[in-house]
Amino acid sequence: MDIHFKFSNSNEECPYCGSLISEILRKEKEQPTNIDLSSLSLLPKIQTAYEEFSNRLTFDIEKIDSVLKFMAGESVCVVSANKIYNNMLLTRLCIRALMSKRQGGFNSSKVIFVDASNNSDIYQYVNFARQYGLNIKKALQSIVISRSFTIYQLANIIINELPKVIEQFDGTKVIIISDLLYMFVNDPQVQIKEAESLIRQIVNEIRKMSSYNNILFIISFYSNRDNHPSTHVYTRIVLHRIDKCIVITKNKDNNNLLFDIKINKSKNHYQEHRRIILQEKILHLVYNTL
């Protein structure tokens, strides 16, 4: 039965509002559907269960990998008071991202490394590539490094240039931003309110790119800059928008490192929290050399 035809020829009144039913239906039919089609392009890509399972990046450190795996489309933050720990983990992940999935890597054709503090060490890349038996020249050619010298250059690189670089280097699955907050806390000319605004824009753009392009973003910064009045504010802005976080501290009783692993399962709230203990030397060693 054509329900619309039946009512459109009826003079019955709605028992609740007293309007003619035919008039109500006519208005409903003529009312435009308010769907913002442009927003559909920002939805994450659909993938199979196998793709989700295989698109994982591990540290090749058993204790960490047993509780934490990085996946495409996520944003992750590594925080410590010692830049050596951060650099070691980021370099390790950078090289492993280039390795094949058979080797436990990410099979990324390129890794984009945004060095926000001009502190990356090329010899660490060489060391890990050699340990894993990779072609050193090919590995180094697969790492695209970008450096900036002001917070505005950094913001421009991440917000405006990275989308173009992602398109240029098709097959990029990992983007690393080292020491994101360095210039924000070390430049005395930076206005706090302006810095907060830029950091929010940067992190929001990271979340959008990671979801839409199915790319793993790894961010790092150091936690020992308590002398800056807004360090905790900047840190909170970043961590509240990040999916997973690793905070590295030194165990006071011995030389072991404490890894506090936090997984954000709902907006602005870390629901899962794990703690593991590692020897510092583990960060320098590799195991999977197939």
Side-chain angles (χ1 to χ4, degrees):
M1 182 182 296
D2 188 340
I3 301 297
H4 179 265
F5 178 80
K6 178 182 177 181
F7 281 144
S8 64
N9 290 282
S10 173
N11 291 322
E12 294 182 21
E13 295 183 352
C14 173
Y16 298 100
C17 65
S19 301
L20 291 177
I21 293 179
S22 59
E23 184 66 18
I24 295 174
L25 292 175
R26 183 185 66 80
K27 290 181 179 180
E28 288 289 337
K29 183 177 180 182
E30 294 177 354
Q31 186 175 356
T33 303
N34 296 322
I35 300 178
D36 185 6
L37 296 178
S38 62
S39 64
L40 297 180
S41 62
L42 300 179
L43 294 176
K45 295 180 180 179
I46 298 175
Q47 59 184 2
T48 66
Y50 173 77
E51 289 172 328
E52 181 178 349
F53 177 79
S54 60
N55 285 338
R56 298 185 178 192
L57 179 62
T58 62
F59 285 92
D60 191 24
I61 299 175
E62 184 178 356
K63 278 192 173 182
I64 299 179
D65 295 337
S66 64
V67 298
L68 178 66
K69 290 180 176 65
F70 296 160
M71 299 178 62
E74 290 184 335
S75 53
V76 180
C77 191
V78 179
V79 184
S80 83
N82 189 323
K83 65 180 181 180
I84 295 177
Y85 305 148
N86 276 13
N87 286 342
M88 194 65 62
L89 286 177
L90 294 186
T91 306
R92 186 187 195 99
L93 290 172
C94 193
I95 293 298
R96 286 190 56 77
L98 299 172
M99 297 169 61
S100 68
K101 294 178 181 179
R102 181 178 64 87
Q103 296 172 295
F106 218 43
N107 201 28
S108 182
S109 61
K110 299 285 185 183
V111 173
I112 301 171
F113 193 99
V114 179
D115 189 354
S117 62
N118 298 298
N119 199 35
S120 58
D121 186 353
I122 191 67
Y123 295 104
Q124 286 185 4
Y125 295 109
V126 173
N127 178 45
F128 277 114
R130 181 181 290 116
Q131 288 190 71
Y132 279 113
L134 303 181
N135 183 307
I136 294 176
K137 181 179 179 180
K138 184 178 179 180
L140 294 179
Q141 289 176 336
S142 300
I143 302 171
V144 181
I145 298 179
S146 174
R147 292 185 171 91
S148 55
F149 301 94
T150 69
I151 61 173
Y152 307 104
Q153 289 179 351
L154 177 62
N156 181 65
I157 288 173
I158 297 174
I159 297 172
N160 299 318
E161 298 301 324
L162 273 186
K164 301 175 186 176
V165 175
I166 293 172
E167 185 176 351
Q168 178 184 354
F169 296 109
D170 187 35
T172 298
K173 297 182 180 179
V174 177
I175 296 178
I176 296 175
I177 304 176
S178 173
D179 204 1
L180 174 65
L181 301 180
Y182 175 80
M183 286 182 287
F184 288 95
V185 299
N186 283 279
D187 187 347
Q189 303 301 320
V190 173
Q191 299 294 318
I192 293 177
K193 290 297 182 182
E194 186 175 11
E196 291 179 16
S197 176
L198 282 177
I199 293 171
R200 285 192 180 91
Q201 292 179 56
I202 287 172
V203 181
N204 288 339
E205 187 65 26
I206 287 172
R207 288 190 60 85
K208 183 171 72 173
M209 284 188 288
S210 65
S211 176
Y212 177 57
N213 296 288
N214 205 32
I215 288 178
L216 171 63
F217 270 83
I218 304 172
I219 305 166
S220 77
F221 58 84
Y222 306 130
S223 59
N224 62 341
R225 294 170 181 144
D226 296 332
N227 56 328
H228 192 279
S230 290
T231 298
H232 67 286
V233 177
Y234 300 158
T235 299
R236 187 171 66 249
I237 292 173
V238 175
L239 294 184
H240 279 187
R241 291 166 171 80
I242 296 300
D243 297 312
K244 297 175 181 177
C245 178
I246 299 177
V247 180
I248 309 170
T249 55
K250 196 76 171 275
N251 195 326
K252 296 179 180 180
D253 300 329
N254 50 50
N255 291 325
N256 290 338
L257 300 178
L258 295 178
F259 283 68
D260 282 312
I261 299 173
K262 302 176 182 180
I263 301 176
N264 193 351
K265 291 189 173 181
S266 64
K267 187 176 181 181
N268 297 338
H269 181 60
Y270 288 96
Q271 290 185 324
E272 188 173 333
H273 185 194
R274 303 284 186 87
R275 171 171 288 190
I276 62 176
I277 300 176
L278 288 176
Q279 293 180 331
E280 184 175 339
K281 65 179 182 180
I282 296 296
L283 300 184
H284 304 263
L285 303 176
V286 304
Y287 299 93
N288 188 350
T289 57
L290 295 177

